[in-house]
Amino acid sequence: MASGGGNNRNGTHRNSLKGTTTTSTVSTDKPLSVNSNPSKPAFKNKSSPLTGASSGLRKSSPGSLGGGAAKDDAGVPGRVRVAVRLRPRNAEESVADADFADCVELQPELKRLKLRKNNWDTDTYEFDEVLTEFASQKRVYEVVAKPVVEGVLDGYNGTIMAYGQTGTGKTYTLGRLGEEDTANRGIMVRAMEDILAEVSPEIDSVLVSYLQLYMESLQDLLDPTNDNISIVEEPKSGDVSLPGATLVEIRDQQSFLELLRLGEAHRHAANTKLNTESSRSHALLMVHVKRTVKGREPAHSSDNGNSTSMARSLRPPLVRKGKLVVVDLAGSERIDKSGSDGHTREEAKSINLSLSALGKCINALAENSAHVPVRDSKLTRLLRDSFGGTARTSLVITVGPSPRHRGETASTIMFGQRAMKVENMLKLKEEFDYKSLARRLDIQLDKLIMEHERKQKAFEVEIERMTAEAQNRISEAERNYADAVEKERLKYQKDYMESIKKLEEKWMMNQQNQGNERKEQMVHIAEEVAEVKKLLSKETSLRKAAEEEVDNLKSQLAQLKMSEASANSEILKLRKMVEDEVCQKEKLEGEISMLQSQLLHLSFEADETRKRLDRGGPGKVPGRLDSPVSQVRSQLKDSGNGEKASVAKLFEQVGLQKILSLLEAEDADVRIHAVKVVANLAAEETNQQKIVEAGGLKSLLMLLGSSDDETIHRVAAGAIANLAMNEKNQELIMSQGGISLLSTTASHAKDPQTLRMVAGAIANLCGNDKLQTKLRGEGGIKALLEIVKCGHPDVLAQVARGIANFAKCESRASTQGSKTGRSLLIEDGALPWIVQNANSDASPIRRHNELALCHLAQHEVNAKDMISEGALWELVRISQDCPREDIRTLAHRTLASSPDFIAGLKRLRINY
Ligand code: ADP
Ligand code: MG
C-alpha cells in the first residue's frame, strides 16, 4: 500500500527526499537542517496563496497528474500545499496512553512537526501549515481550503484532500456538518458558504456531484442505483468529467446540507450492503462553479479602445469555470493490519488500489519522474486535472497522537512530505460564453423586431389616417365642384329661357306683320289640298283592287302547294314500291341460284346413285380398267338416255359458264357438285372442247392447287384425266404446270381413287411424243414412281400404263433418231419397278410392264442396265409365256438380235 511504501522510504531513503526532512537529535528542538524550501506561502494570504511556489530549491516539475501539462499563457506553476492536523487524544487514548507521551510534537510557529522515534530520537518535518489539536475548524478552513475556494471562484480548478489513518479526523476536518454547533462546520460546508456568498444566482451556477469510490467502482451517492460511473477524459484539454454522475444545482446552504446528509446516508447504506466501512472508500465532492465576469474586459481582450459600444455589446460575456474537488480519502492504514474483515487478499489489494496509485503518482511527481502512472487507478484518473495538474491543491494530513500508531503516523507524514514537492500548473479556466451572448443577442433581436413591428404599425396607422384625410378633402372638393357646376347650369338655363322668351316676342311681332300675306296663300293651298284628296281616293280604290288580286293569287298558291304535297307522297310511295320490287327480284335471284345449286346437287346425287347401282349390278365385266375416261364414258353410256339427257338438259338450262363459275363458289358443297358436273361433262368427248375453251381446264387445275378437299381433288383429277385424252389439251395441261399440281395432289392424297385419277392423267400425258422431255423434266416419272407406293392394283395399272406409254414414245423417238442415250425411265430409276411388276397377277399391270420392257429392250443402249436389273429373265419369260402373240414375238426378236442380250443369256447359261 501507499503508506507502506512511504514508510519504507522514510526508513531507508530518507536522503532522497531532498532535504524536506531533517533529522534532529534527542535533545534539540532546533532542526539540524530545516526544509530548504524558502517558499513559505502564507495559506492565510488570500491574495497570493501560491505566490513564490516556483522559487526556492524545488525544481519546477514538468510532471503532473495532468500528464505533464506544458505552461501556457494562462498557466501559473504552483505547489501542492500540505498542512498537518493533529487530533486531540480521545477518551480511549487518554486512558490507554495515559502513561505515554504523544508520538508527535508540533511547533506551529515554525510550521514543524517532530515525530518521536524513540525516547531519545526524533525526526523533524516542515509543512506548509501545522495545525495543533487546539486548532479550530474555522482556522483549518482558512489555511487549508479558503485559498483553493477563492481560486475556484476565480476560474481555477482546486482540490482539497484529507489523507491519514482511520480515526485521525479526515471526515471531521472535511465533512462535519456542524448542525449541533456551527463552530464545528467542516471544510465542505464552509467552502459552499463562501461560494454561495460570492456567486449571483441569476447569472452564475453552482452544480454539485457527490461520489464514492470503492474497489475501483465509482458510485453516485446522490443516486445509489447509479453505481458504475465512467470517467471521461478530454484528450486535448486533459479535463476530466463524469457524464453519468448526478449533478444538483445548489442555490442555498440548506439544500447543500440536505444533499450532504443524503449522500452520507447513501454512503452508509452502500457500505452496509458491501460489508465495508467508509474508511475503506474514498468520498468525493465535486463542485462546479460557473461565474460570469462582470464589469471588466476579459483578461486577454485586445480591445484597443476604438471599438464602439455596439461592438462591445456583441462581445460574448466572459465566464470562468472552476471545479472544486474535496476528497475524503480512505484510511491510509494497511488493510491486512486492520484484521480479518472478510476480504480475501485479492479484494484487499483492490480496496486500496487507488490510494496506493495516488502514492505512486505523488512519488513520481515528487521525483520528477518521466512517467506518472496516472492511469493505474480511478482515483488518479479522476484527480488528473485536480492534483498536480492544472489545479490548486491543498492536502491536509491528519495524524493521531498515540504512540501505538507511530508507524502509520510516520508513513502519513512521509506521504505529506512527498506531496509538498509536487508542483501544479495552474490554469485559468476562462472562456467566452457564446451561448449566453447568443441568448443576449436573441433577446436584443427580439426587442428590435418588436420595435420594428411597433414602428411599422404606427406607420401603417399614419398612412391610413393620411389616406382618410385625403379622401375627405377629395370628396369635399368634389362636392364644391358639383355645387359650382349646378349654380352655373341654373344661371345658364335662366339666361337661355330669357333669350327664348325674347325671341318669341320678336317672332309674334313678325307674325302679325306677315298675317295678310298669309291669307292669300291659304286659299291657294286649300285648292291644292282638294286636288290631292281626289288623287288619294283614286289611289285608294286602285290599291284595294290590287289587294284583292293578291288575295286571289295567294289562295291559288295554297291550292297548288297542297296538290304538290300529295304528288310528293305519291312519288315516295312509288319509289318504295320500286325498292320493294328490287328487293323481291334480288330475293328471287338468290332463290334461283340456290335452286340451281340444289338442282346440280340433286342431279349429281342421282348420277352417283345410279353409278353405285350399276357397279353393284350383275353382268359387269371385271378388270375393265383401261382408263377412267372409258369408265366414265361407259358409265354415261350405261346410265341410259335419261341420264345423258338430264346432264345435257342441265348444260343447256344452266349454261357452261354458270357451271364453271360455280367451281369458285363460296359454298364448299356447291363447289363439289359443280366439279362433279364438270367431270361428267368432260367425260363426253363432244363437251371437252367447249369446256377447255370456256376456261374449264384452267379452273380445274386451279382447283387442284387451291382446294383442300379430297373429293374435289379426286373428281377434278378425273376430269383432267378425261381432258388429257386430247393432244392439244395435253400441251395446255403441261404449260399450266399440270405435272407439279398433279404430283402435289398425289402426295396429299389418301384415297386410292384420287391416286388412280392422278396416275391416269399423267399416263395420258406420257403418251405424247412431244412432251417426253418436259414431262420427265417436271418430275412426271418420279411422281408415278411415288404413286406406286400406295400398292392399290387399280392405281398400279394406271402407273404401268403411263410407263408403257412413255417407253413406247421413247422407243419411237430412238428409232427415228431424235433421241439418243439411255432411256429416261432407266435414268429416273423406274426399271426395278417395271421388272418387279412385269409378271404381276393383275393382268393390266403385267401387260403394260411387259410392253414397257419390250420397248426398252429395243435399244442396245438400255441392254446393260436391263441385264443387271434382271430384265433378261422377264424378256425370256415374255417371249415364251405372254398370251399376246405380238408381244411374244417382239420379245423373242429382241433377245435374238441384241448382242448384249445374247452374251447375257450365254453368261446365264440360258439356252435360247
Ligand atoms: P477519520 O475520518 O479520519 O476516520 P473521524 O473524522 O471520523 O476520522 O474522527 C474520528 C473521531 O475523532 C471522531 O469521533 C471525531 O469526532 C474525533 N475527532 C477527530 N478530529 C478531531 C478534532 N480535531 N477535535 C475533536 N475531535 C476530533
Ligand atoms: Mg472518515
Side-chain angles (χ1 to χ4, degrees), residues 521-542:
Q521 278 176 2
M522 286 299 275
V523 173
H524 183 69
I525 286 169
E527 280 168 6
E528 270 181 13
V529 166
E531 204 168 316
V532 167
K533 268 185 185 167
K534 229 176 179 175
L535 273 171
L536 184 69
S537 71
K538 199 176 162 190
E539 279 296 309
T540 309
S541 65
L542 276 173

Short mmCIF file of all heavy atoms in Angstrom, two decimals, residues 521-542:
data_model
loop_
_atom_site.label_atom_id
_atom_site.label_comp_id
_atom_site.label_asym_id
_atom_site.label_seq_id
_atom_site.Cartn_x
_atom_site.Cartn_y
_atom_site.Cartn_z
N GLN A 521 -102.25 83.05 -99.47
CA GLN A 521 -101.58 81.75 -99.66
C GLN A 521 -102.48 80.59 -99.24
O GLN A 521 -102.51 79.54 -99.86
CB GLN A 521 -100.30 81.72 -98.82
CG GLN A 521 -99.15 82.42 -99.52
CD GLN A 521 -97.90 82.47 -98.63
OE1 GLN A 521 -97.92 81.94 -97.52
NE2 GLN A 521 -96.88 83.12 -99.15
N MET A 522 -103.29 80.81 -98.19
CA MET A 522 -104.15 79.76 -97.64
C MET A 522 -105.18 79.28 -98.66
O MET A 522 -105.41 78.08 -98.80
CB MET A 522 -104.89 80.27 -96.40
CG MET A 522 -104.00 80.39 -95.17
SD MET A 522 -103.30 78.83 -94.66
CE MET A 522 -104.68 78.28 -93.68
N VAL A 523 -105.76 80.18 -99.40
CA VAL A 523 -106.78 79.82 -100.40
C VAL A 523 -106.17 78.89 -101.45
O VAL A 523 -106.70 77.85 -101.77
CB VAL A 523 -107.34 81.11 -101.06
CG1 VAL A 523 -108.27 80.79 -102.23
CG2 VAL A 523 -108.06 81.94 -100.03
N HIS A 524 -105.02 79.31 -101.89
CA HIS A 524 -104.32 78.54 -102.90
C HIS A 524 -103.99 77.11 -102.40
O HIS A 524 -104.22 76.11 -103.09
CB HIS A 524 -103.01 79.29 -103.24
CG HIS A 524 -102.23 78.64 -104.31
ND1 HIS A 524 -102.70 78.63 -105.61
CD2 HIS A 524 -101.03 78.01 -104.30
CE1 HIS A 524 -101.83 78.01 -106.33
NE2 HIS A 524 -100.77 77.61 -105.56
N ILE A 525 -103.64 77.09 -101.22
CA ILE A 525 -103.28 75.80 -100.61
C ILE A 525 -104.51 74.90 -100.49
O ILE A 525 -104.45 73.70 -100.80
CB ILE A 525 -102.63 76.02 -99.22
CG1 ILE A 525 -101.19 76.57 -99.42
CG2 ILE A 525 -102.57 74.72 -98.41
CD1 ILE A 525 -100.53 77.08 -98.16
N ALA A 526 -105.68 75.49 -100.13
CA ALA A 526 -106.90 74.69 -99.97
C ALA A 526 -107.29 74.05 -101.29
O ALA A 526 -107.68 72.87 -101.33
CB ALA A 526 -108.04 75.59 -99.49
N GLU A 527 -107.06 74.74 -102.35
CA GLU A 527 -107.36 74.17 -103.67
C GLU A 527 -106.46 72.96 -103.94
O GLU A 527 -106.89 71.89 -104.36
CB GLU A 527 -107.14 75.23 -104.77
CG GLU A 527 -108.28 76.21 -104.91
CD GLU A 527 -107.92 77.40 -105.78
OE1 GLU A 527 -106.81 77.41 -106.37
OE2 GLU A 527 -108.74 78.31 -105.86
N GLU A 528 -105.22 73.23 -103.64
CA GLU A 528 -104.25 72.13 -103.87
C GLU A 528 -104.62 70.89 -103.05
O GLU A 528 -104.58 69.78 -103.54
CB GLU A 528 -102.84 72.59 -103.49
CG GLU A 528 -102.13 73.22 -104.67
CD GLU A 528 -100.73 73.66 -104.33
OE1 GLU A 528 -100.19 73.27 -103.25
OE2 GLU A 528 -100.11 74.36 -105.14
N VAL A 529 -105.05 71.14 -101.84
CA VAL A 529 -105.42 70.04 -100.95
C VAL A 529 -106.58 69.24 -101.52
O VAL A 529 -106.55 68.00 -101.52
CB VAL A 529 -105.74 70.57 -99.53
CG1 VAL A 529 -106.44 69.53 -98.69
CG2 VAL A 529 -104.47 71.04 -98.84
N ALA A 530 -107.60 69.93 -102.07
CA ALA A 530 -108.75 69.23 -102.63
C ALA A 530 -108.33 68.32 -103.77
O ALA A 530 -108.77 67.17 -103.87
CB ALA A 530 -109.78 70.28 -103.14
N GLU A 531 -107.40 68.83 -104.58
CA GLU A 531 -106.91 68.04 -105.71
C GLU A 531 -106.16 66.78 -105.21
O GLU A 531 -106.39 65.68 -105.71
CB GLU A 531 -105.96 68.89 -106.55
CG GLU A 531 -105.87 68.39 -107.99
CD GLU A 531 -105.16 69.43 -108.84
OE1 GLU A 531 -105.51 70.63 -108.67
OE2 GLU A 531 -104.31 69.05 -109.64
N VAL A 532 -105.37 67.02 -104.24
CA VAL A 532 -104.59 65.89 -103.68
C VAL A 532 -105.53 64.85 -103.09
O VAL A 532 -105.32 63.64 -103.25
CB VAL A 532 -103.59 66.41 -102.61
CG1 VAL A 532 -103.03 65.28 -101.80
CG2 VAL A 532 -102.48 67.18 -103.30
N LYS A 533 -106.60 65.31 -102.46
CA LYS A 533 -107.57 64.39 -101.85
C LYS A 533 -108.20 63.51 -102.90
O LYS A 533 -108.36 62.30 -102.72
CB LYS A 533 -108.67 65.17 -101.11
CG LYS A 533 -108.35 65.39 -99.64
CD LYS A 533 -109.51 66.06 -98.94
CE LYS A 533 -109.14 66.37 -97.51
NZ LYS A 533 -110.11 67.28 -96.91
N LYS A 534 -108.48 64.08 -103.99
CA LYS A 534 -109.08 63.34 -105.11
C LYS A 534 -108.14 62.24 -105.56
O LYS A 534 -108.51 61.07 -105.69
CB LYS A 534 -109.33 64.31 -106.28
CG LYS A 534 -110.70 64.23 -106.88
CD LYS A 534 -110.64 65.33 -107.89
CE LYS A 534 -111.74 65.64 -108.76
NZ LYS A 534 -111.53 66.80 -109.60
N LEU A 535 -106.93 62.67 -105.80
CA LEU A 535 -105.90 61.70 -106.22
C LEU A 535 -105.80 60.55 -105.21
O LEU A 535 -105.69 59.39 -105.57
CB LEU A 535 -104.53 62.38 -106.34
CG LEU A 535 -104.21 63.05 -107.67
CD1 LEU A 535 -102.93 63.86 -107.56
CD2 LEU A 535 -104.03 61.99 -108.75
N LEU A 536 -105.87 60.95 -104.01
CA LEU A 536 -105.73 59.97 -102.93
C LEU A 536 -106.83 58.93 -102.96
O LEU A 536 -106.58 57.71 -102.83
CB LEU A 536 -105.72 60.68 -101.58
CG LEU A 536 -105.47 59.78 -100.39
CD1 LEU A 536 -104.02 59.27 -100.41
CD2 LEU A 536 -105.72 60.51 -99.06
N SER A 537 -108.09 59.38 -103.15
CA SER A 537 -109.21 58.41 -103.15
C SER A 537 -109.10 57.47 -104.34
O SER A 537 -109.37 56.27 -104.23
CB SER A 537 -110.57 59.17 -103.17
OG SER A 537 -110.75 59.76 -104.44
N LYS A 538 -108.52 58.00 -105.46
CA LYS A 538 -108.33 57.16 -106.64
C LYS A 538 -107.28 56.09 -106.34
O LYS A 538 -107.46 54.90 -106.60
CB LYS A 538 -107.88 58.05 -107.81
CG LYS A 538 -108.08 57.42 -109.18
CD LYS A 538 -107.67 58.48 -110.21
CE LYS A 538 -107.42 57.84 -111.55
NZ LYS A 538 -106.80 58.84 -112.44
N GLU A 539 -106.26 56.56 -105.74
CA GLU A 539 -105.16 55.64 -105.39
C GLU A 539 -105.66 54.55 -104.45
O GLU A 539 -105.32 53.38 -104.60
CB GLU A 539 -104.03 56.41 -104.70
CG GLU A 539 -103.09 57.15 -105.63
CD GLU A 539 -102.32 56.24 -106.53
OE1 GLU A 539 -101.70 55.26 -106.02
OE2 GLU A 539 -102.34 56.44 -107.77
N THR A 540 -106.52 54.96 -103.51
CA THR A 540 -107.05 54.02 -102.52
C THR A 540 -107.85 52.91 -103.20
O THR A 540 -107.69 51.72 -102.88
CB THR A 540 -107.94 54.76 -101.49
OG1 THR A 540 -107.21 55.85 -101.00
CG2 THR A 540 -108.33 53.84 -100.33
N SER A 541 -108.69 53.29 -104.17
CA SER A 541 -109.51 52.26 -104.84
C SER A 541 -108.62 51.31 -105.64
O SER A 541 -108.82 50.09 -105.63
CB SER A 541 -110.58 52.93 -105.74
OG SER A 541 -109.94 53.61 -106.78
N LEU A 542 -107.58 51.90 -106.26
CA LEU A 542 -106.63 51.05 -107.03
C LEU A 542 -105.94 50.03 -106.10
O LEU A 542 -105.78 48.86 -106.41
CB LEU A 542 -105.56 51.90 -107.71
CG LEU A 542 -105.93 52.52 -109.06
CD1 LEU A 542 -104.86 53.48 -109.53
CD2 LEU A 542 -106.12 51.42 -110.11
#
